[in-house]
Amino acid sequence: MRSTLTRPVVVGDRTELEAARAAQPGNVALVPTMGALHEGHRALIRAARAAADAVVVSIFVNPLQFGANEDLARYPRTFDADLEMCAVEGVDLVFAPSTSAIYPEQPIVTVSAGALGDVLEGAHRAGHFDGVLTVVLKLFHLTQPSLAFFGAKDAQQLVLIRRMVTDLDVPVQIVTVPTVREPDGLALSSRNRHLSPADRVAALAISRALRAGEEAAAGGAAAPAVWATAGKVLADEPAVDLDYVALVDPVRLVDLTADASGPALLAVAGRVGSTRLIDNVTVQLSPTRKRA
Ligand code: AMP
């Protein structure tokens, strides 16, 4: 059977990218990814497709954001399936560079995430966000989008990208797409394929904890009680080796005290088997006067 899909143009180096971009009329939306595309990525691509004249998806596993003991070598790579999804979703251009195309030499000048990059994920992955921001800024320069789409699943990454765009006057509009989950609550992640069936069951404690925190907040609980409620669910699942559970201000990423109200980021990271997972929700803390 012959495919009727229009294949995206696939480019791997700067010259090809420049030529392909020059041929694109109108405004362009970029969806930066590390490949191994799943329904979460699909949601980003669809949002981009609905918002712009042309959609560019980048597929690049960025060594700069992986620590020495992290999973760069075993990060899943499913390029053919990724291209298939891009074709189905009407992506115009896939930029899939080699490491040497992005980093012809080891960069000396990089973007510093500053203090916001030292907490939560940054406390466990030194230099991670410097690597993320450096590659995202490079991808912005190379692909020249008007809009760029990122998932709420990586909440701290989003906070930092928004800060970078503001602090460094980067002319790109950042759009957030809600986290896509499995029906049982597990947030989709390229790393989920490394979970054994038993790991996968244990991993559900993460989304369960977030939901419990969300419900506690909806019931009027103050920040410390919301945090403790989520923590208790995770404490009851020893197969989740917890890095942190945190309830923080969604912009400044600082811990919240009992008098906090309004939106708060409840974030969890932990290892299940050999796989490190992160997830988060935004909860609404009620004003103190409304609490029982
Ligand atoms: P990655 O390929 O993991 O670097 O992710 C590329 C983009 O997809 C990032 O903006 C992620 O936040 C986003 N993303 C990953 N998983 C999900 C998900 N489950 N729901 C929504 N967005 C996601």
Side-chain angles (χ1 to χ4, degrees):
M1 200 174 78
R2 251 180 39 165
S3 167
T4 52
L5 292 175
T6 311
R7 300 258 142 207
V9 174
V10 181
V11 296
D13 69 33
R14 288 154 190 258
T15 318
E16 290 171 344
L17 176 64
E18 224 167 90
R21 280 291 290 107
Q24 283 177 324
N27 66 349
V28 165
L30 173 67
V31 181
T33 80
M34 297 203 299
L37 302 184
H38 51 64
E39 295 302 310
H41 299 110
R42 193 192 299 276
L44 265 62
I45 294 170
R46 287 189 174 169
R49 182 72 279 166
D53 300 310
V55 176
V56 179
V57 170
S58 61
I59 298 178
F60 180 61
V61 183
N62 173 35
L64 215 59
Q65 71 190 64
F66 285 80
N69 301 319
E70 293 182 1
D71 59 348
L72 174 62
R74 79 160 190 159
Y75 197 84
R77 286 163 171 86
T78 60
F79 191 61
D80 291 342
D82 294 349
L83 286 190
E84 194 63 35
M85 182 189 288
C86 288
V88 168
E89 297 305 329
V91 170
D92 300 280
L93 179 61
V94 172
F95 179 44
S98 62
T99 301
S100 62
I102 292 290
Y103 303 113
E105 56 183 302
Q106 182 68 19
I108 294 171
V109 177
T110 57
V111 180
S112 164
L116 288 177
D118 293 335
V119 297
L120 303 176
E121 281 300 281
H124 296 268
R125 304 186 68 186
H128 170 67
F129 288 111
D130 294 359
V132 169
L133 294 182
T134 300
V135 81
V136 167
L137 189 61
K138 283 167 74 76
L139 290 169
F140 286 173
H141 286 143
L142 290 166
T143 62
Q144 301 275 315
S146 328
L147 304 151
F149 288 71
F150 295 89
K153 160 90 172 19
D154 296 274
Q156 188 175 9
Q157 170 173 289
L158 251 168
V159 167
L160 279 160
I161 288 167
R162 287 187 180 282
R163 247 352 261 235
M164 174 177 77
V165 161
T166 302
D167 290 349
L168 303 183
D169 300 308
V170 184
V172 178
Q173 188 189 328
I174 304 302
V175 182
T176 304
V177 176
T179 301
V180 177
R181 298 176 180 282
E182 302 278 11
D184 60 10
L186 183 70
L188 293 181
S189 163
S190 302
R191 291 181 168 101
N192 288 354
R193 69 193 69 209
H194 294 313
L195 296 170
S196 71
D199 291 343
R200 200 188 168 299
V201 172
L204 289 177
I206 295 175
S207 51
R208 219 166 39 240
L210 295 174
R211 258 196 329 272
E214 219 168 11
E215 282 162 16
V226 170
W227 176 79
T229 301
K232 168 85 175 62
V233 174
L234 288 156
D236 288 344
E237 179 45 88
V240 177
D241 178 11
L242 200 62
D243 275 348
Y244 59 83
V245 49
L247 184 68
V248 295
D249 177 280
V251 176
R252 295 177 304 121
L253 304 182
V254 291
D255 285 337
L256 293 172
T257 48
D259 57 349
S261 64
L265 177 67
L266 181 58
V268 173
R271 202 168 290 277
V272 185
S274 60
T275 307
R276 191 168 179 282
L277 300 175
I278 61 170
D279 198 356
N280 71 85
V281 289
T282 299
V283 305
Q284 294 294 332
L285 298 170
S286 20
T288 319
R289 64 178 186 286
K290 286 206 181 147
R291 287 194 194 120

